[in-house]
Amino acid sequence: LRPVMLMVIVMATIGSFQVFDAVYVMTFGGPANSTSSIVWLIYQKAFVAFQMGSASAMGIILFLVIFVISIIELHVLRQKFEY
């Protein structure tokens, strides 16, 4: 079960960075942007303010952050789960 648990932890972390639908459906960013996420901000930049360049740059930065955190988790958890 160790490999499965490792993959579930990594996928849950990636999913937590990509929260969009709950923010969009329930609060539209909430009062004073209290519930906004990075994906919500990318959506606002791209499709509300029509700043596609800024939204693309934010998307690439989000990808890099998720990639680095996933690599760190894989490295740390793989060492932790090996006996």
Side-chain angles (χ1 to χ4, degrees):
L1 285 175
R2 288 184 195 132
V4 174
M5 197 160 96
L6 174 69
M7 188 52 90
V8 167
I9 291 171
V10 171
M11 295 301 286
T13 303
I14 291 171
S16 67
F17 274 101
Q18 297 177 344
V19 174
F20 173 76
D21 52 351
V23 174
Y24 183 77
V25 170
M26 291 193 295
T27 64
F28 285 103
N33 291 326
S34 62
T35 61
S36 62
S37 65
I38 186 70
V39 180
W40 174 255
L41 294 175
I42 292 171
Y43 170 80
Q44 289 289 321
K45 284 277 188 186
F47 300 113
V48 176
F50 297 109
Q51 296 176 351
M52 298 296 177
S54 297
S56 297
M58 291 170 69
I60 291 170
I61 297 295
L62 177 64
F63 166 75
L64 292 174
V65 167
I66 291 173
F67 182 74
V68 168
I69 290 174
S70 297
I71 294 298
I72 291 170
E73 278 185 341
L74 284 172
H75 181 69
V76 169
L77 293 174
R78 192 172 289 153
Q79 286 178 352
K80 183 179 179 182
F81 290 141
E82 289 180 3
Y83 292 109

